[in-house]
Amino acid sequence: MLPGISGADLSAVLRARWPQLRVMIISGYAEDEMLQRLGPATAANFLQKPFAMQALARTVRHALGDEPPPGRG
């Protein structure tokens, strides 16, 4: 938890200032709830806790633009 702001809101503020900023959100909250709050550019870089190291690696590679979005599920 971030004090005073959600990760999704912080992501939106930072990306408004720096549109090319690459963001990855990792959360233990329900995926559906988080995906509704994220914009389309960030939603593909969402990783639900708990996760395997392979899922983390895929999500980081996608956030950096090196691979298609990771599958959900």
Side-chain angles (χ1 to χ4, degrees), residues 7-55:
D9 292 342
L10 178 59
S11 170
V13 168
L14 293 173
R15 294 200 73 206
R17 184 162 184 181
W18 296 289
Q20 299 303 315
L21 182 67
R22 294 172 178 165
V23 175
M24 188 172 85
I25 302 286
I26 298 174
S27 177
Y29 287 108
E31 182 177 14
D32 291 343
E33 177 186 331
M34 285 301 296
L35 292 177
Q36 289 175 2
R37 297 183 71 189
L38 298 171
T42 305
N45 297 331
F46 174 78
L47 188 58
Q48 175 100 27
K49 293 179 193 175
F51 52 84
M53 287 295 114
Q54 294 87 353

